[in-house]
Amino acid sequence: MDQFDEAVEAYDEVMDRFGDDPTPEIRELVASALLSKGLMLSQTDQLDEAAELYDEVVARFGDDPTPEIRELVAMAMVTRCITLGELSQIEDAAELYDEVVARFGDDPTPKIRELVATAAEYMSESLE
C-alpha cells in the first residue's frame, strides 16, 4: 500500500469513527478529513469524486457557526468551484461562485475573505 492509499484510508477511518460526533473539535477534524481527502483525489485527477466530498463538507457542516468549520466549508465551496472549472462546467462554477459570495462575502474572518477573493480571481480567469 502506498502513501496515497494509506492517507485515504486514514481519512476514511476518521469519518467512519467520528463522523457523527457532536463535539465541535471532532466535527472540525471530520470536516478537515473530508476536505483533505477531496484535495488528494483532485491531485490524482479524480475530480468527480473530489467534488462529491466537497459537497459532503457543505451538506454536513454548512450550518455550523464555529469559525474554524465555517472556514473549511468556505474552502470546500471554493475548491468545488475551481474543480467545476477544471471539468469545463463554467456555468455551474459561476453559480457556485455566486453562492460563495452570497454566503461568505461579508464574513469578517480574514481567511474566509481571502477564500472569497481567490474564488473571484479564479472566476475572472475562467471567463476570459
Side-chain angles (χ1 to χ4, degrees), residues 17-121:
R17 292 182 69 188
F18 304 108
D20 295 326
D21 193 300
T23 310
E25 295 83 6
I26 301 298
R27 288 175 55 80
E28 181 182 351
L29 290 173
V30 172
S32 182
L34 284 166
L35 181 61
S36 295
K37 182 179 177 184
L39 293 170
M40 287 187 67
L41 291 174
S42 288
Q43 292 175 355
T44 59
D45 290 328
Q46 298 176 60
L47 299 177
D48 289 324
E49 294 88 348
E52 289 175 13
L53 290 169
Y54 305 142
D55 287 344
E56 187 173 345
V57 171
V58 176
R60 290 177 75 168
F61 303 101
D63 295 330
D64 195 299
T66 309
E68 294 82 5
I69 295 176
R70 286 182 50 77
E71 183 179 316
L72 292 168
V73 170
M75 188 176 299
M77 291 179 75
V78 169
T79 306
R80 171 85 158 111
C81 201
I82 292 168
T83 301
L84 287 170
E86 290 173 355
L87 291 168
S88 299
Q89 297 175 12
I90 302 302
E91 287 182 23
D92 292 336
E95 286 178 22
L96 183 55
Y97 166 71
D98 289 343
E99 187 178 333
V100 168
V101 172
R103 189 174 198 159
F104 297 107
D106 294 329
D107 196 289
T109 310
K111 182 62 178 174
I112 292 176
R113 295 181 68 78
E114 181 182 325
L115 287 166
V116 172
T118 298
E121 181 180 319

